[in-house]
Amino acid sequence: MSDEIRDKVVGLVAERMGVEPEQITEATHFVNDLQSDSLDMAELVIDLEEGFDLTISDEDAQKIETVGQAIEYIKQSQQQSQ
Amino acid sequence: MNVRRVVITGAGVVCPVGCSEEVVWPAILEGRSGIGIISSFDSAEFEVHIAGEVADFDPLDHFTKRELGRLDRFVQFAVVSAESAVKQAGLDLEKMDHERAGAFIGPGIGGLPELETQHSRLLNSGPRRVSPLMIPKLMTNAAAGQVAMKFGLHGPTMSVSSACASASHAMGEAYNCIRYGTADVVICGGAEAALTPTGLSGFQQAKALSTRNDDPEAASRPFDLNRDGFVMAEGAGSLVFESLEHARKRGAQILAEIAGYGASSDAYHITLPEPDGKGAALAMRNALADAKLAPEDIDYINAHGTGTPAGDGVEAKAICSVFGDHAKKLAVSSSKSVFGHLLGASGALESAACIWTMRDNVCPPTINLDDADPECCGLNFVPHQPQERQVDAVLNNSFGFGGHNVCLAFRKFTG
């Protein structure tokens, strides 16, 4: 299950930022590595909310700086809702 | 006031008959129509099934996927046509004074594709699913802004929007900006991509469009007795305007000179032209006066000529009232007969055609003009075939819903 979440997040990030999934790891930093700006991040939050059927508060969204943090956030959210 | 001369050093186009001068100008001269059955969406429920779509255009040839996520189709067209124009002008972006260079680009409508996509998301999924990129993608100034970002232009940059007169207004204002000394170089023109279900419905419901669905290539027939409306099209045109001094200093090849700019308002009706063509005539008179040209100096007019029953006759009447006896000696044609009506972008593409007309001394034809409407005053509309003649000075007319009229005068650059 966890690999599925990881692959899906990586796929969404790759699609949004126009890069190949192979270029993305858990350590990939949205701003430093992918040159994301605030609009990209807002789009990514929508992608993640839609992709995983959850709501990410603005406060939580601001704490997500790497792909690994995004994966971790989604795993925790799904555990809490189970 | 020290008024400077302004010249054109580059022209780039994206339109239904092609995306380069090498393809577009022969198509205009030979009358190869760019009108066909709409392929970008299913038009089955519409009364109109025809349009001029830009087919030879893969955005991924020009932009990365990430860039495309931020650019509505009209902005893509604007940037690509501007790149062609800048390339032809041979502008050295490294050496240029970027604070003295800007962009004036006029879409008439703006990003309808993005508006439709996001409105659907709003209705289907709620406000939290609407893209934060929607506003910066659809706003009319997105084209000018992106062109400025692409070339690092820090001078005056804006959209100039007046429906189907947008590009011509943008060019006229760019001309003013340079001649009165505010900038040295302005990339100017128009871009439009409003061929969406919403855009088509709107024009269809306004009864503005031809319904000659069974014969698309014959549907755009300006000045013809059997015209039944215009044909929607999309695309862009960009021109590099610069002060003569700036062009000479860098040894640029000069394509033509902007001679005058005339603008007026009908102040009459939201869509219909004033029936006597007073507003259109005033724009032409203003352009001639600004250019210090006599009516007899004009060899050719690239008409607004959209093919609507109301508009073409009014324009012809206006030409007759301005030019008197000379009206029947000059040539008048509508290139919209070939590529349809690019709405806000049309004036830029047609100004490019004016430049090529003067360079080659050949007036492009009005195709589909089988039976000239007697209401159109018996002018020489250059039916079907191009006409070779000496062309030293021309006018380009553009009129927009809302009663906006623009006339630009161009002349050959003779030093």
Side-chain angles (χ1 to χ4, degrees):
Chain A
M1 183 64 194
S2 61
D3 274 348
E4 274 178 36
I5 290 177
R6 181 198 178 279
D7 292 348
K8 194 166 168 182
V9 170
V10 167
L12 289 169
V13 173
E15 179 67 24
R16 171 62 55 197
M17 298 307 297
V19 295
E20 295 302 319
E22 294 74 33
Q23 293 173 255
I24 295 173
T25 69
E26 272 87 342
T28 299
H29 192 280
F30 289 112
V31 177
N32 298 341
D33 297 321
L34 298 175
Q35 286 77 50
S36 304
D37 59 21
S38 61
L39 294 171
D40 290 316
M41 294 310 293
E43 289 273 33
L44 270 169
V45 167
I46 294 176
D47 294 339
L48 294 172
E49 286 186 342
E50 280 194 331
F52 294 98
D53 192 23
L54 48 81
T55 300
I56 306 174
S57 71
D58 290 350
E59 199 184 357
D60 287 346
Q62 281 175 359
K63 291 179 195 154
I64 299 174
E65 295 182 351
T66 66
V67 174
Q69 286 169 349
I71 294 167
E72 198 52 38
Y73 180 88
I74 286 159
K75 282 182 187 171
Q76 283 185 5
S77 301
Q78 295 204 334
Q79 276 171 4
Q80 281 166 13
S81 64
Q82 274 167 7
Chain B
M1 186 186 284
N2 179 25
V3 177
R4 309 191 299 173
R5 290 172 72 185
V6 182
V7 295
I8 304 167
T9 54
V13 294
V14 170
C15 77
V17 294
C19 299
S20 70
E21 179 193 327
E22 291 71 25
V23 178
V24 172
W25 182 228
I28 294 172
L29 286 179
E30 291 159 23
R32 286 201 302 273
S33 171
I35 310 304
I37 298 291
I38 293 168
S39 66
S40 57
F41 61 92
D42 182 0
S43 66
E45 289 184 18
F46 293 74
E47 286 167 30
V48 176
H49 308 301
I50 53 174
E53 295 177 304
V54 172
D56 182 25
F57 183 87
D58 182 352
L60 287 168
D61 290 344
H62 306 279
F63 306 98
T64 65
K65 272 176 79 175
R66 182 173 176 230
E67 285 172 328
L68 283 176
R70 301 181 160 216
L71 305 177
D72 199 77
R73 188 168 167 86
F74 82 101
V75 182
Q76 296 167 27
F77 290 160
V79 171
V80 170
S81 68
E83 281 176 328
S84 304
V86 166
K87 191 175 170 202
Q88 183 180 29
L91 275 179
D92 188 339
L93 296 166
E94 298 290 317
K95 288 186 187 158
M96 195 171 71
D97 180 352
H98 293 234
E99 295 184 0
R100 300 276 303 163
F104 284 36
I105 298 172
I109 296 176
L112 270 193
E114 178 68 7
L115 182 64
E116 286 186 12
T117 302
Q118 300 306 328
H119 190 246
S120 295
R121 291 177 68 91
L122 174 70
L123 296 183
N124 295 329
S125 310
R128 279 189 64 86
R129 292 288 178 267
V130 172
S131 169
L133 293 168
M134 175 182 73
I135 299 297
K137 274 178 82 171
L138 67 77
M139 60 196 190
T140 57
N141 57 314
Q146 284 295 334
V147 168
M149 281 182 249
K150 177 90 193 169
F151 300 109
L153 314 176
H154 295 291
T157 292
M158 67 190 78
S159 64
V160 179
S161 192
S162 53
C164 303
S166 299
S168 290
H169 262 134
M171 290 185 287
E173 294 304 317
Y175 173 49
N176 279 345
C177 190
I178 297 170
R179 67 171 158 167
Y180 296 127
T182 312
D184 296 327
V185 178
V186 179
I187 299 169
C188 56
E192 199 81 85
L195 191 54
T196 67
T198 306
L200 187 69
S201 326
F203 283 113
Q204 168 190 297
Q205 294 305 97
K207 304 293 174 201
L209 300 178
S210 169
T211 56
R212 197 180 286 259
N213 298 311
D214 55 349
D215 194 2
E217 296 190 354
S220 184
R221 40 196 320 117
F223 307 112
D224 187 80
L225 193 56
N226 294 308
R227 67 189 185 277
D228 70 329
F230 74 80
V231 178
M232 271 186 87
E234 59 176 1
S238 291
L239 296 112
V240 175
F241 281 16
E242 60 183 301
S243 71
L244 174 58
E245 187 188 0
H246 190 273
R248 274 196 172 137
K249 204 176 279 179
R250 64 183 192 88
Q253 191 194 352
I254 293 169
L255 307 178
E257 179 168 4
I258 303 110
Y261 164 40
S264 72
S265 173
D266 281 1
Y268 175 75
H269 186 266
I270 57 169
T271 58
L272 292 172
E274 189 281 319
D276 295 329
K278 285 183 208 142
L282 181 60
M284 284 186 267
R285 283 198 187 95
N286 287 344
L288 289 171
D290 190 36
K292 298 184 176 64
L293 289 170
E296 293 72 30
D297 294 327
I298 301 298
D299 304 299
Y300 169 71
I301 298 174
N302 193 296
H304 186 59
T306 61
T308 58
D312 294 359
V314 168
E315 184 175 12
K317 265 188 228 171
I319 291 170
C320 284
S321 75
V322 172
F323 287 89
D325 292 343
H326 186 63
K328 292 192 177 169
K329 294 178 192 157
L330 51 75
V332 180
S333 69
S334 171
S335 304
K336 290 185 183 76
S337 59
V338 175
F339 45 65
H341 192 352
L342 276 72
L343 310 177
S346 62
L349 180 56
E350 288 152 22
S351 288
C354 284
I355 296 165
W356 304 329
T357 296
M358 288 191 286
R359 179 194 63 197
D360 295 345
N361 290 307
V362 58
C363 298
T366 304
I367 64 167
N368 300 319
L369 186 52
D370 296 332
D371 197 1
D373 183 351
E375 289 283 302
C376 294
C377 312
L379 303 179
N380 170 14
F381 290 115
V382 198
H384 303 298
Q385 299 294 327
Q387 292 176 8
E388 289 187 17
R389 60 187 284 162
Q390 183 69 24
V391 185
D392 295 325
V394 306
L395 298 183
N396 179 18
N397 283 341
S398 294
F399 312 134
F401 276 3
H404 309 284
N405 310 296
V406 182
C407 178
L408 295 165
F410 301 103
R411 67 175 152 233
K412 264 184 190 152
F413 179 71
T414 52

